[in-house]
Amino acid sequence: MRSIQEVWNAVLQIVQNDAGISQAAFELWIECITPVAIEGEAFVVSVPSVFQRDIIEQQFASQLTSAVEAAIGLPLSLFIRAEDEEQQKAEEDTMDDSLRHDLSSYYKMINPFYTFKTFVVGPTNNFAYATAQSVADKPAGAYNPLFIWGGSGLGKTHLLHAICNEMHIKNRQAKILYTTCENFTNEFLIALNRQTLPDFRQKYREVDILLIDDIQFLANKEQTQEEFFNTFEAVKNAGGQIVVTSDRRPNEIATLTDRLKSRFEAGMLADVQPPPIETRILIVRSKAEQLHFHIDKNVCDYIARELKTNVRQIEGVINKLHGEYLLNGTIPTERSAEEAIANVRNDNQPVAVTVEKVISEVSRTMGVSVDDIRAKGGNANIKQARKVAAYIIREITKMKMEEIGNEFGGLDHSTISYAYKNISDKMKKDTTFKAVVEDIMKNLKIGC
Ligand code: ADP
Ligand code: MG
């Protein structure tokens, strides 16, 4: 088995011998590169600074890419990370006018592989796909705002980036601003603190299109919601397009102000749902093809059958199998796929668990309706189901007690703490009950 360092050493040798790079340039620019990993179709390396990265990208990218292909035998793109990028970004953010007219740093947040072409369309996402494409073709046309919602790992971020990529190709001058809700909130709070709101507003309001990912995180943040509402109005009134994503419909985002809910509901709502088996098979094939990686039909089908609700996991499994193939030549089999699937499922990385899923799973298992669980009051069964849901949310998400309370018609912090303790005590005493709760959690984790 070849380690990533061994593969990289082979790359270096090729560069040194064949690439026509002088010894001086080699020592200055190539030796500072550290191999990191093979991720999907990219060979990821890192360098200490953004400056070095830019030079390497401009001067040596093609020689390095060819050397990687020669060393591995397959075309991979070279992805260079700069270790000081985060720091540099943070510094830029604190400079009052640095970002005023410079939106280019935001293109760095856009994944160039997330395009309409690489998105597999099926019956559960075709509407979202079509509306996203229509927005990219004709921003601020029929679908404004566009609100894309659905569970984790189903392509919402992919579609947002696809809009950005498409618009950017069509019009290099277009002012495209993509950010996450979390980023928006942080930048707003910094601007508030440093009294640089005019800069913040200029940046967010003078755009042709504003795309905000995971808007559900606005819930509970009153001041940020107010700012977002005003941003929304300003962008729209100036003829700009708004696109947002969320893990649920607007009217299910507890504590989102009514005026924002109604603005979103008045626009175009498009959902993405877990794809059916036929689409999943196409996704597996398409992801493998993008990597120029052959996976036997029975293995493709196996992966598609096993991973039902989260495309991110499908991708994770294929990347893992591909990595094994590149490093030690292992041809994927059902057996190795099974292992990779078990790995992905055990990973604690973004498990596709949303509040909505927890509640619907509790509802299904405990026979109480979702609406009853979400409302206050009710009979003993309902209360029990609500407590179980609160307990599970606390266990498998990082939400605070108070945020959890908001999901249940505004229960306060102490009620949720009490529910949590009550359920953990009961689980200690009653093994059948414990098994029920654990079963729900297991189902959620494996995405049933
Ligand atoms: P979300 O934002 O909904 O949580 P992402 O857009 O991050 O999900 O998607 C997770 C991964 O799955 C991404 O790598 C994305 O490219 C991939 N993916 C999701 N849906 C599709 C699809 N229909 N076709 C191709 N890839 C997809
Ligand atoms: Mg996302």
Side-chain angles (χ1 to χ4, degrees):
M1 169 168 169
R2 286 206 291 173
S3 70
I4 189 91
Q5 185 62 51
E6 284 167 337
V7 173
W8 184 245
N9 290 343
V11 173
L12 287 182
Q13 219 163 25
I14 296 166
V15 171
Q16 213 164 10
N17 295 335
D18 306 329
I21 296 175
S22 73
Q23 185 59 26
F26 185 89
E27 282 169 18
L28 198 56
W29 299 113
I30 311 295
E31 281 186 345
C32 65
I33 304 174
T34 316
V36 177
I38 291 168
E39 281 178 10
E41 55 198 330
F43 194 105
V44 184
V45 298
S46 91
V47 294
S49 70
V50 168
F51 176 68
Q52 283 161 310
R53 184 196 53 204
D54 290 348
I55 299 279
I56 296 166
E57 269 174 353
Q58 283 159 21
Q59 305 289 331
F60 308 113
S62 66
Q63 292 99 318
L64 286 170
T65 312
S66 319
V68 167
E69 180 169 355
I72 294 178
L74 282 170
L76 289 185
S77 56
L78 189 70
F79 186 83
I80 309 175
R81 279 189 197 144
E83 284 154 25
D84 70 349
E85 182 161 38
E86 287 303 311
Q87 191 192 338
Q88 185 156 333
K89 258 196 204 147
E91 276 166 15
E92 270 173 13
D93 282 351
T94 63
M95 279 186 261
D96 291 354
D97 52 356
S98 65
L99 289 173
R100 196 166 284 181
H101 294 293
D102 177 18
L103 299 175
S104 66
S105 64
Y106 281 84
Y107 294 128
K108 289 187 189 147
M109 289 179 74
I110 303 298
N111 183 333
F113 296 114
Y114 288 175
T115 62
F116 287 116
K117 243 175 102 187
T118 58
F119 191 85
V120 178
V121 186
T124 57
N125 61 22
N126 56 356
F127 187 64
Y129 178 85
T131 49
Q133 216 171 21
S134 159
V135 161
D137 284 344
K138 201 167 168 296
Y143 307 133
N144 197 12
L146 171 61
F147 188 102
I148 303 174
W149 66 277
S152 173
L154 294 179
K156 300 182 298 296
T157 298
H158 186 132
L159 286 175
L160 283 200
H161 288 214
I163 294 174
C164 296
N165 283 320
E166 181 92 3
M167 276 184 70
H168 186 57
I169 290 167
K170 287 207 170 108
N171 175 10
R172 298 267 163 192
Q173 309 301 319
K175 284 192 173 171
I176 303 167
L177 185 45
Y178 165 88
T179 193
T180 59
C181 184
E182 206 183 346
N183 235 325
F184 178 87
T185 307
N186 291 342
E187 283 185 29
F188 169 62
L189 295 178
I190 290 173
L192 201 61
N193 229 334
R194 302 215 170 113
Q195 301 183 325
T196 53
L197 277 177
D199 292 329
F200 174 88
R201 291 187 174 140
Q202 194 164 18
K203 172 178 159 187
Y204 276 99
R205 296 180 185 190
E206 294 180 14
V207 293
D208 296 317
I209 181 165
L210 175 64
L211 308 100
I212 303 210
D213 215 352
D214 290 323
I215 200 82
Q216 73 272 9
F217 293 125
L218 261 193
N220 248 340
K221 300 181 181 110
E222 267 172 42
Q223 220 176 355
T224 317
Q225 279 203 45
E226 170 84 23
E227 184 64 27
F228 177 75
F229 180 78
N230 294 329
T231 308
F232 180 103
E233 293 288 279
V235 171
K236 226 179 148 221
N237 291 338
Q241 168 79 45
I242 313 262
V243 187
V244 295
T245 69
S246 162
D247 67 352
R248 58 200 110 154
R249 307 175 58 104
N251 53 19
E252 283 168 0
I253 308 178
T255 72
L256 191 68
T257 58
D258 284 343
R259 55 186 191 165
L260 262 179
K261 275 185 200 167
S262 64
R263 288 293 187 286
F264 291 146
E265 294 274 348
M268 177 52 69
L269 299 187
D271 64 331
V272 283
Q273 296 295 334
I277 181 77
E278 298 80 14
T279 314
R280 300 202 300 274
I281 292 175
L282 293 178
I283 291 174
V284 174
R285 288 199 199 140
S286 145
K287 297 285 173 195
E289 261 165 36
Q290 277 170 47
L291 299 170
H292 308 279
F293 180 40
H294 175 78
I295 304 182
D296 275 350
K297 184 180 174 308
N298 62 323
V299 182
C300 282
D301 292 358
Y302 177 76
I303 299 170
R305 265 201 319 273
E306 287 294 307
L307 294 172
K308 301 191 182 86
T309 53
N310 186 325
V311 178
R312 187 177 291 118
Q313 294 182 346
I314 295 183
E315 202 163 25
V317 165
I318 294 168
N319 286 342
K320 183 146 200 325
L321 295 173
H322 185 234
E324 281 168 9
Y325 169 70
L326 290 180
L327 290 174
N328 52 25
T330 322
I331 306 286
T333 58
E334 278 194 28
R335 184 81 225 274
S336 63
E338 188 185 348
E339 253 170 51
I341 289 169
N343 255 321
V344 165
R345 283 175 175 162
N346 288 335
D347 246 3
N348 268 346
Q349 46 135 293
V351 183
V353 177
T354 58
V355 168
E356 203 175 19
K357 283 201 183 136
V358 174
I359 296 179
S360 87
E361 192 64 22
V362 171
S363 148
R364 204 172 61 85
T365 316
M366 302 186 67
V368 173
S369 85
V370 167
D371 288 348
D372 281 343
I373 296 178
R374 279 203 181 264
K376 281 185 185 164
N379 62 27
N381 279 348
I382 296 171
K383 284 185 182 150
Q384 181 78 331
R386 189 177 303 129
K387 282 194 266 180
V388 168
Y391 172 87
I392 294 176
I393 293 168
R394 176 71 186 166
E395 278 289 292
I396 56 186
T397 73
K398 294 203 179 85
M399 286 170 73
K400 302 196 185 93
M401 298 286 187
E402 193 192 330
E403 287 168 337
I404 299 173
N406 284 325
E407 299 289 342
F408 301 96
L411 293 177
D412 64 19
H413 175 279
S414 58
T415 312
I416 301 296
S417 297
Y418 168 76
Y420 183 83
K421 183 155 183 333
N422 181 268
I423 296 299
S424 22
D425 288 347
K426 192 165 159 61
M427 283 170 75
K428 278 182 205 133
K429 286 185 217 134
D430 179 345
T431 48
T432 319
F433 179 74
K434 182 167 181 252
V436 170
V437 176
E438 283 178 351
D439 220 31
I440 299 175
M441 288 166 67
K442 208 165 73 207
N443 282 344
L444 286 161
K445 281 191 177 150
I446 60 173
C448 284

